[in-house]
Amino acid sequence: MRTALVYHEDMTAARLLWEDPECEIERPERLTAALRRLQQGGLEQRCLQLAPREASEAELGLVHSPEYVSLLRGTQALDTQELRALSGQYDAVYFHPSTFHCARLAVGAALQLVDAVLMGAVHNGLALVRPPGHHSQRAAANGFCVFNNVAIAARHAQQKHGLQRILIVDWDVHHGQGIQYIFEDDPSVLYFSWHRYEHGRFWPYLRESDADAVGQGKGRGFTVNLPWNQVGMGNADYLAAFLHVLLPVAFEFDPELVLVSAGFDSAIGDPEGQMQATPECFGHLTQLLQVLAGGRVCAVLEGGYHLESLSQSVCMVVRALLGDPVPPLSGPMEPHRRYGVGGWGGWVFQAGPCCSCFSLQCPGVHPERPGSPGPSLDQPPAARLHEALAQDTAFTALGKVLHLLKGILDGQVSSGVATTPAAAAMLDVALRCSLSHRAQRVLCVAVGQLDRPPDLANDGRTLWLDIRGKEAAALSPFHVSMPLPGTTGAFLSCVLALVLPLAYGFRPDLVLMVLGPAQGLQEPHAALLAALLRGPAGGRVLVLVEQEPTSQLAGILARVLHGDAPPSLGPFSTAPPEDTQALLYLRGQLEAQWKMLQVAAPS
Ligand code: Q9C
Ligand code: ZN
């Protein structure tokens, strides 16, 4: 099985025994609600279900002091008044007689998940735990956190599995200052956190949560903080943060394992975060992380206090981990500029149907074009065929391509790869058929010697992006050319800073990726591009490849479209100045129309 789910009912035992408005949101129903929703969506059953053990005291000692562990051991025998008095010594913490047991199970769950992934039993997984961990420090509980589950898991992965580079992505809405302190001088663990900050006026009110805290000594540059100075951040902001901040750094770091401090108080409806990101956003974030570290992603629950939002978000993460397509992002794809004033409001969280409602046949996803239904795909418009197709092999390929296309547009399959001769002509036909069949908008990403069909309407229904080796040009907001990037660094910039912002901003119903003659992309680059293009159209991707008979490329692409991690990119090489110039030029040309290109960085 591909995905592990680690959970133990005992972790619902700890609860608040006295009045405390600050702490009452961290309650047992958080786990039971999320788990029930996974069961209802048929997702739990598709995971390898693991019951955690309690972490040993030696394992707790990877991060915590012996005195602190002893103190926690002692809480098992305290009465309510004593527990309350001890809790008062810490900021936003409550203890219960079961806390020590629960907290050791929470750490044990994270360790078991990491072991299952690093020993190859599964590709990835989620540990549903409480108490959470990321605020906990060497000798202090803090912010509902007792032991630092993720930090201990990282140290364990280093010590027991010999890992040298671990990325921790903390998408909880609070700053995981506990994790930051533990690894701040350690370059082997890269810690990324975004968090509600409001210029220091939001809990935990720390100067060191700001963007200028970047780590110390040898660890300088290995802490990345992205403080949100206003509430209301949504899908576009989170996606932009990943594309423009986290992922460029993460690819260069090249982690062997990704640990996610997966708090869902950053989702819409949460009383703590006051943010607007919808549940499917967390599926997209998960999908983006899965292109790193060979797909070895271990998510560990942190916060998340709106039971409905939490449960739906957890389902989206598990769907992405399982390799399922994730529903397209909703809402305007316009990030807040400078985290500043204005922006968009009025988006309220609606308790929707359960997360299994996403269907490729969903009428909202495939709107019919008004007017005539257009030609049927069952009868390809032979009159449109290019001369190059007047051969048996080409006709066979055409049949295959149209069959796949129909399967994707009708929702029978989510994606497909076809090897084909005359890729340019195939693309031409596939594009016209999609636009006249069911797709409102089609994104074409064309690599190699492929011309945009000259008579293609410039009506905003097709976004044509080619990477073909000539100079950068934006002939219209819907016709963009990029030179073929010369290095891995340049390729990554092109994909993260241009292709994906345009692709997500366009909200296509279908992505056509075409690798034509002389396409020149390295296999890992082509695989990464295909993997990332699963995001914008809810997984609906058709790849056409004009390849040498001996090439393995189509097989690699098929596995990636299925949800497998793309192969490693190899050593990182920075972008040459001419490639960076080309990107900056295109951003200048296009960012008025395509808001996802705007990089909102504080000066
Ligand atoms: N309204 C976690 O999410 N209270 N801990 C903040 C501001 C403490 C959050 C009060 C929040 C702790 C794991
Ligand atoms: Zn939180």
Side-chain angles (χ1 to χ4, degrees):
M1 261 185 267
R2 176 183 162 107
T3 300
L5 182 67
V6 196
Y7 173 77
H8 198 296
E9 199 188 302
D10 283 5
M11 286 185 285
T12 61
R15 60 190 174 86
L16 183 63
L17 295 174
W18 52 87
E19 286 264 311
D20 182 346
E22 188 175 26
C23 289
E24 69 190 7
I25 55 176
E26 202 295 287
R27 46 200 186 99
E29 292 76 16
R30 298 177 56 236
L31 287 193
T32 49
L35 191 73
R36 188 176 323 118
R37 190 51 74 82
L38 285 171
Q39 288 163 345
Q40 286 167 349
L43 295 167
E44 186 210 34
Q45 299 84 326
R46 293 170 58 201
C47 296
L48 176 68
Q49 294 172 50
L50 298 176
R53 57 182 174 84
E54 290 188 325
S56 68
E57 296 207 2
E59 287 164 337
L60 300 178
L62 289 170
V63 159
H64 299 286
S65 72
E67 299 75 23
Y68 178 65
V69 174
S70 298
L71 179 81
L72 261 295
R73 194 189 315 116
T75 60
Q76 298 173 99
L78 301 183
D79 65 28
T80 303
Q81 285 319 309
E82 292 166 327
L83 287 167
R84 186 172 185 169
L86 183 62
S87 304
Q89 315 243 318
Y90 301 105
D91 185 8
V93 169
Y94 68 88
F95 294 118
H96 179 272
S98 72
T99 290
F100 187 60
H101 175 55
C102 292
R104 283 173 66 182
L105 280 175
V107 175
L111 297 180
Q112 217 141 329
L113 177 55
V114 162
D115 285 339
V117 166
L118 294 181
M119 296 189 312
V122 287
H123 292 285
N124 56 41
L126 170 69
L128 280 182
V129 304
R130 55 186 291 274
H134 71 152
H135 299 302
S136 153
Q137 297 149 40
R138 177 170 163 80
N142 182 276
F144 316 151
C145 299
V146 176
F147 298 130
N148 202 312
N149 309 317
V150 165
I152 298 170
R155 285 275 180 251
H156 172 84
Q158 295 180 320
Q159 301 217 339
K160 286 275 145 45
H161 301 274
L163 295 201
Q164 302 190 336
R165 291 179 312 282
I166 297 170
L167 169 65
I168 299 178
V169 177
D170 188 339
W171 72 42
D172 186 282
V173 86
H174 301 97
H175 182 216
Q177 85 278 35
I179 301 182
Q180 176 168 310
Y181 298 156
I182 291 160
F183 299 111
E184 63 192 347
D185 52 12
D186 185 344
S188 68
V189 176
L190 174 53
Y191 177 61
F192 170 88
S193 174
W194 64 37
H195 33 268
R196 179 173 171 188
Y197 189 59
E198 298 175 292
H199 303 283
R201 289 188 289 272
F202 188 70
W203 191 91
Y205 316 107
L206 298 171
R207 177 68 189 80
E208 61 269 31
S209 304
D210 210 345
D212 60 354
V214 296
Q216 300 174 3
K218 288 201 166 105
R220 199 176 153 77
F222 295 85
T223 295
V224 180
N225 281 331
L226 202 169
W228 301 118
N229 284 321
Q230 64 173 51
V231 297
M233 297 299 151
N235 295 344
D237 301 287
Y238 288 4
L239 183 63
F242 264 47
L243 296 181
H244 296 302
V245 183
L246 171 61
L247 291 175
V249 175
F251 271 107
E252 187 163 349
F253 182 64
D254 189 22
E256 299 158 300
L257 174 68
V258 179
L259 297 175
V260 185
S261 267
F264 299 98
D265 41 17
S266 46
I268 190 165
D270 193 280
E272 277 288 308
Q274 306 285 323
M275 298 299 180
Q276 299 278 348
T278 57
E280 63 273 20
C281 189
F282 296 88
H284 285 266
L285 302 180
T286 305
Q287 225 173 37
L288 289 169
L289 294 180
Q290 283 179 280
V291 301
L292 298 163
R296 286 181 289 274
V297 174
C298 295
V300 181
L301 182 66
E302 299 280 1
Y305 308 101
H306 185 294
L307 297 186
E308 182 64 24
S309 182
L310 165 69
S311 306
Q312 289 195 27
S313 302
V314 163
C315 286
M316 290 300 167
V317 168
V318 171
R319 284 166 61 163
L321 291 174
L322 285 165
D324 291 358
V326 176
L329 289 175
S330 51
M333 274 297 135
E334 188 170 340
H336 289 79
R337 293 208 71 170
R338 298 165 190 277
Y339 324 127
V341 285
W344 39 279
W347 227 26
V348 282
F349 182 75
Q350 292 178 341
C354 92
C355 57
S356 63
C357 73
F358 174 61
S359 147
L360 290 166
Q361 286 103 330
C362 169
V365 182
H366 292 292
E368 288 284 351
R369 193 160 67 111
S372 70
S376 161
L377 288 179
D378 294 315
Q379 294 150 341
R384 290 212 185 101
L385 294 187
H386 190 275
E387 280 176 6
L389 294 181
Q391 307 168 10
D392 282 355
T393 53
F395 274 110
T396 308
L398 180 65
K400 190 167 68 177
V401 167
L402 291 177
H403 183 73
L404 258 179
L405 184 64
K406 183 168 159 46
I408 293 170
L409 292 174
D410 289 348
Q412 284 131 4
V413 293
S414 60
S415 60
V417 183
T419 55
T420 173
M426 294 296 168
L427 166 60
D428 191 319
V429 177
L431 186 51
R432 286 164 211 278
C433 282
S434 336
L435 288 169
S436 60
H437 191 59
R438 289 196 148 174
Q440 271 303 318
R441 284 177 302 280
V442 179
L443 168 66
C444 283
V445 179
V447 191
Q449 287 167 14
L450 292 161
D451 288 319
R452 183 177 184 274
D455 58 333
L456 193 65
N458 219 338
D459 56 2
R461 292 184 61 201
T462 309
L463 171 54
W464 176 276
L465 240 166
D466 64 60
I467 305 173
R468 52 168 298 158
K470 290 189 196 149
E471 61 182 10
L475 291 113
S476 86
F478 298 96
H479 183 180
V480 179
S481 289
M482 259 296 292
L484 185 74
T487 62
T488 293
F491 174 75
L492 283 169
S493 303
C494 171
V495 172
L496 299 175
L498 183 74
V499 177
L500 290 178
L502 293 181
Y504 272 99
F506 183 56
R507 309 164 167 289
D509 302 304
L510 173 73
V511 176
L512 290 173
M513 170 174 160
V514 190
L515 302 176
Q519 53 95 0
L521 272 191
Q522 296 170 26
E523 268 179 12
H525 291 179
L528 177 66
L529 181 60
L532 292 169
L533 286 173
R534 293 180 75 216
R540 283 181 296 277
V541 181
L542 175 60
V543 181
L544 305 179
V545 194
E546 190 169 333
Q547 71 176 10
E548 304 294 319
T550 55
S551 170
Q552 305 289 302
L553 186 56
I556 294 171
L557 295 173
R559 287 194 291 278
V560 159
L561 289 179
H562 210 79
D564 282 5
S568 160
L569 296 181
F572 185 85
S573 48
T574 49
E578 60 271 23
D579 284 343
T580 306
Q581 280 306 312
L583 264 181
L584 287 173
Y585 167 76
L586 286 177
R587 186 197 289 167
Q589 296 286 299
L590 293 163
E591 72 178 354
Q593 164 90 23
W594 300 106
K595 303 286 193 278
M596 286 298 297
L597 291 172
Q598 297 173 352
V599 184
S603 54

